[in-house]
Amino acid sequence: MSAQTLYDKLWQSHVVRSETDGTALLYIDRHLVHEVTSPQAFEGLRLHNRPLWRTGSILATADHNVPTRPVKEIADPVSRLQVTTLDQNCAANGITEFAMGDPRQGIVHVIGPEQGATLPGMTVVCGDSHTSTHGAFAALAMGIGTSEVEHVMATQCLISKKAKAMLVRVEGDLRPSVTAKDVALAVIGHIGTAGGTGYAIEFAGSAIRSLSMEGRMTLCNMAIEAGARNGMVAADETTFAYLKGRPYAPRDTEWQAALAVWNTLHSDVGAVFDREVEIDAAGIEPLVTWGTSPEMVASVSGRVPDPAQEADPVRRQGIEKALAYMGLQANTPITDIRIDKVFIGSCTNSRIEDLRAAADVVRGRRIAGNIKLALVVPGSGLVKSQAEREGLHQVFLDAGFEWRNPGCSMCLGMNDDRLSPGERCASTSNRNFEGRQGAGGRTHLVSPQMAAAAALAGHFVDIRSL
Amino acid sequence: MKKFQVVDGLVAPLDRSNVDTDAIIPKQFLKSIQRAGFGPNLFDAWRYLDQGEPGQDPASRRPNPDFVLNQPRYAGASILLARENFGCGSSREHAPWALEDFGFRAVLAPSFADIFHNNCFKNGMLPITLPEAVIDSLFSRVDATSGYRLQVDLAAQEVRTPDGEVHGFAIDPFRKYCMLEGLDDIGLTLRHADDIRAFEAARQAAQPWLFHGARP
Ligand code: SF4
């Protein structure tokens, strides 16, 4: 057999049948479900009197709407209805749900891996674009819409067509203070937010292999911001060590059998990709987005771009619109940008390693006087309790941060955590779209370390200078 | 799903690239557990001067006169002309639901984000990819001609202009078939239930750990 990419292997092993035009019925191993994109799917099944195909494949949690302050009940009746609808749908169908109040509840993309419910070689879907996160485990993971959620619930399959394969190779050593988040932003800055459209991206190279699972998840999480529905990383010892002993992971003799399969989950030598991109790890700097698209990114030591320097009229207009929305002047040094709020959380950067990294910056210091709110929102109840065992919550609280309960929180502000019009935020989330964190809010995407440092200084700082 | 055969409609231009699904339908409206009723909040943050919240009476809102869809000449448009990477970002199917509820049946752009593109087909909304140059020229014509209409013919895979130009477009045969007939693809997939069961049984035998739940 000719050399295959990891994507080829994952795709091929899930094809139930395929049509002559390449449309395939792809078998789905794991289906993650949350409250926002599932109610209409359950309703559709009920209307057609269709049963769920395999209830055991589903793991559900409420994350987008949940309050991050300790409350018994969600105050907003519309949010509450959505969450209780999920509870009822799960109960009625015998689906495992980590509901509000369960110590394992959290952001769907944090809890799947944490439980070992995301395993190498799986297909993983969720009605959420950041499902690409799970590709960090050499899984074929993709976000789907609500009609597809219903389709997978009813048939355990997805109708799909194979994408092209892209290899993003990052070779060399990342410099100190440069994180997986910076790698993700560097890739998006390089290929653009539509650069990955129609592709499945495999991240490879020595810099990727040296990332922890948390780092790989951060990177794959943002594959969708480069337009790619899937991001993935080959399985290796780091993957296996992370999974061992997790509740859904295989054990004993099954663990050995699984390893034999998982050890094949990498691209073969000589495998051909439709596109290859090479990035020098040593050239990546700590990055900050200045605009309203994740590709609008600059080094922390750089400046806000000048639209007058852009020759392409559509791009120039894009920069002008973004600067107007962001309330920024061309050529302003990034480190002169003062911020109002700080958000450390989201499925991109709310895992234990992220919180440790931020706490290391914060330890023993205080947030600046102009910071109205600095939030730390752990990705799951288990991340939260782990952090508390390590005393990280105290580090944040002593510095003036708020320490909250798990959920999506100010990543998109469907609960009470949001920006007010004109407020500027250093955020570890993944989208800086207009109004994403609250109507009129201005988002700068950064790593946890950079967000922590910005909270202390009241403006962006080059963490390499600390 | 509504059948899509020929749509002859007024064209509204949305001249910006990377229009994301957060902009198409902002998050506060995703709290609905219904599939309909999103049209009044399509492009909410651009379309109104006041802040949109679920449950408002649309008549009480303050429309933004500068936003293109509020201009009387585009009232009743059923074809949206857009720029590159339309529908990027969140996977929310509420985006095509909102476009459809507003009255759009087709979106023409040089490129679409993958998930949005997929979601459109499930809702009788036709995303049509045309070359950048064609889109550019359509933008100038829509701008210059009040009441500019296009005809979209799915069976023929053609977009026809009033002056007789014809632009062909590509579409997967399976998707085309489902759209033309207004078919529910779950029903179609379930015709292959035996294949799925056989595949599943073999997979479970070979890799049983993929089928376990949590153990204490
Ligand atoms: S944390 Fe943000 S990006 Fe992630 S699932 Fe929640 S809302 Fe989506």
Short mmCIF file of all heavy atoms in Angstrom, two decimals, chain A residues 63-64 107-109 128 130 221 346-348 407-408 411-412 429-431 436, ligand 1:
data_model
loop_
_atom_site.label_atom_id
_atom_site.label_comp_id
_atom_site.label_asym_id
_atom_site.label_seq_id
_atom_site.Cartn_x
_atom_site.Cartn_y
_atom_site.Cartn_z
N ASP A 63 -22.58 24.03 28.98
CA ASP A 63 -21.40 24.88 29.14
C ASP A 63 -21.61 26.34 28.69
O ASP A 63 -21.21 27.26 29.37
CB ASP A 63 -20.18 24.28 28.42
CG ASP A 63 -20.45 23.91 26.97
OD1 ASP A 63 -21.52 24.25 26.44
OD2 ASP A 63 -19.58 23.26 26.34
N HIS A 64 -22.29 26.55 27.57
CA HIS A 64 -22.35 27.91 27.01
C HIS A 64 -23.12 28.88 27.89
O HIS A 64 -22.75 30.03 28.02
CB HIS A 64 -22.97 27.87 25.61
CG HIS A 64 -22.06 27.33 24.56
ND1 HIS A 64 -21.59 26.04 24.58
CD2 HIS A 64 -21.53 27.91 23.46
CE1 HIS A 64 -20.81 25.85 23.52
NE2 HIS A 64 -20.75 26.97 22.83
N ILE A 107 -16.52 22.80 29.96
CA ILE A 107 -16.60 23.06 28.52
C ILE A 107 -16.45 21.73 27.79
O ILE A 107 -15.56 20.94 28.09
CB ILE A 107 -15.51 24.04 28.06
CG1 ILE A 107 -15.56 25.34 28.87
CG2 ILE A 107 -15.66 24.34 26.56
CD1 ILE A 107 -14.40 26.28 28.60
N VAL A 108 -17.32 21.51 26.85
CA VAL A 108 -17.40 20.21 26.19
C VAL A 108 -16.03 19.75 25.64
O VAL A 108 -15.68 18.58 25.72
CB VAL A 108 -18.51 20.29 25.10
CG1 VAL A 108 -18.14 21.19 23.95
CG2 VAL A 108 -18.92 18.93 24.62
N HIS A 109 -15.23 20.69 25.15
CA HIS A 109 -13.93 20.31 24.57
C HIS A 109 -12.85 20.12 25.62
O HIS A 109 -11.75 19.68 25.31
CB HIS A 109 -13.48 21.33 23.53
CG HIS A 109 -14.53 21.60 22.51
ND1 HIS A 109 -15.13 20.57 21.81
CD2 HIS A 109 -15.13 22.73 22.11
CE1 HIS A 109 -16.05 21.09 21.00
NE2 HIS A 109 -16.07 22.39 21.17
N ASP A 128 -20.41 22.08 17.37
CA ASP A 128 -19.59 23.20 17.81
C ASP A 128 -18.32 23.21 16.97
O ASP A 128 -17.65 22.19 16.85
CB ASP A 128 -19.22 23.02 19.29
CG ASP A 128 -18.62 24.27 19.85
OD1 ASP A 128 -17.42 24.52 19.56
OD2 ASP A 128 -19.32 25.01 20.54
N HIS A 130 -15.38 24.28 17.42
CA HIS A 130 -14.08 24.00 18.05
C HIS A 130 -13.86 22.53 18.38
O HIS A 130 -12.91 22.18 19.11
CB HIS A 130 -13.87 24.90 19.27
CG HIS A 130 -13.69 26.32 18.83
ND1 HIS A 130 -14.69 27.24 18.91
CD2 HIS A 130 -12.65 26.93 18.23
CE1 HIS A 130 -14.26 28.39 18.40
NE2 HIS A 130 -13.03 28.23 17.97
N ASN A 221 -7.53 23.31 18.45
CA ASN A 221 -8.71 24.12 18.73
C ASN A 221 -8.84 25.24 17.71
O ASN A 221 -9.93 25.56 17.23
CB ASN A 221 -8.57 24.69 20.15
CG ASN A 221 -9.68 25.64 20.54
OD1 ASN A 221 -9.60 26.83 20.26
ND2 ASN A 221 -10.72 25.13 21.18
N SER A 346 -11.88 29.59 28.37
CA SER A 346 -12.33 29.08 27.07
C SER A 346 -11.71 27.73 26.72
O SER A 346 -10.70 27.34 27.30
CB SER A 346 -12.04 30.06 25.92
OG SER A 346 -10.76 29.82 25.38
N CYS A 347 -12.30 27.07 25.72
CA CYS A 347 -11.79 25.76 25.33
C CYS A 347 -10.40 25.84 24.72
O CYS A 347 -9.76 24.83 24.50
CB CYS A 347 -12.77 25.06 24.39
SG CYS A 347 -13.12 26.00 22.89
N THR A 348 -9.92 27.05 24.45
CA THR A 348 -8.55 27.19 23.92
C THR A 348 -7.53 27.14 25.06
O THR A 348 -6.49 26.49 24.93
CB THR A 348 -8.41 28.55 23.19
OG1 THR A 348 -9.52 28.73 22.35
CG2 THR A 348 -7.14 28.59 22.38
N GLY A 407 -17.13 26.96 32.63
CA GLY A 407 -18.09 27.21 31.56
C GLY A 407 -17.43 28.03 30.46
O GLY A 407 -16.26 28.40 30.57
N CYS A 408 -18.20 28.31 29.42
CA CYS A 408 -17.66 29.08 28.29
C CYS A 408 -17.47 30.54 28.67
O CYS A 408 -16.58 31.22 28.17
CB CYS A 408 -18.59 28.99 27.10
SG CYS A 408 -18.71 27.33 26.43
N CYS A 411 -15.95 33.90 26.80
CA CYS A 411 -15.52 33.58 25.44
C CYS A 411 -16.58 34.06 24.46
O CYS A 411 -16.26 34.55 23.39
CB CYS A 411 -15.29 32.08 25.28
SG CYS A 411 -14.96 31.61 23.59
N LEU A 412 -17.85 33.91 24.83
CA LEU A 412 -18.92 34.41 23.96
C LEU A 412 -20.04 35.11 24.71
O LEU A 412 -20.95 35.63 24.09
CB LEU A 412 -19.48 33.31 23.04
CG LEU A 412 -20.69 32.50 23.53
CD1 LEU A 412 -21.27 31.70 22.40
CD2 LEU A 412 -20.34 31.66 24.70
N SER A 429 -9.27 33.44 24.65
CA SER A 429 -10.20 32.67 23.83
C SER A 429 -9.74 32.64 22.38
O SER A 429 -8.57 32.92 22.08
CB SER A 429 -11.60 33.26 23.98
OG SER A 429 -11.59 34.63 23.63
N ASN A 430 -10.64 32.32 21.47
CA ASN A 430 -10.21 32.03 20.09
C ASN A 430 -10.82 32.94 19.03
O ASN A 430 -10.47 32.84 17.87
CB ASN A 430 -10.56 30.57 19.78
CG ASN A 430 -11.95 30.22 20.30
OD1 ASN A 430 -12.89 31.00 20.14
ND2 ASN A 430 -12.08 29.08 20.94
N ARG A 431 -11.78 33.78 19.40
CA ARG A 431 -12.42 34.61 18.37
C ARG A 431 -12.47 36.06 18.83
O ARG A 431 -12.91 36.35 19.93
CB ARG A 431 -13.85 34.13 18.10
CG ARG A 431 -13.81 32.85 17.32
CD ARG A 431 -15.15 32.47 16.72
NE ARG A 431 -14.91 31.30 15.90
CZ ARG A 431 -15.65 30.20 15.91
NH1 ARG A 431 -16.72 30.13 16.68
NH2 ARG A 431 -15.32 29.19 15.14
N ARG A 436 -18.28 39.56 19.78
CA ARG A 436 -18.19 38.18 20.26
C ARG A 436 -18.29 38.09 21.79
O ARG A 436 -19.00 37.26 22.34
CB ARG A 436 -16.87 37.56 19.78
CG ARG A 436 -16.52 36.22 20.39
CD ARG A 436 -17.28 35.10 19.75
NE ARG A 436 -16.90 33.82 20.33
CZ ARG A 436 -17.42 32.65 19.98
NH1 ARG A 436 -18.34 32.60 19.03
NH2 ARG A 436 -17.04 31.54 20.54
S1 SF4 C 1 -15.30 28.14 25.19
FE1 SF4 C 1 -15.92 29.50 23.56
S2 SF4 C 1 -15.21 28.60 21.69
FE2 SF4 C 1 -15.13 27.05 23.27
S3 SF4 C 1 -17.02 25.91 23.10
FE3 SF4 C 1 -17.34 27.54 24.59
S4 SF4 C 1 -18.12 29.27 23.44
FE4 SF4 C 1 -17.27 27.84 21.96
#
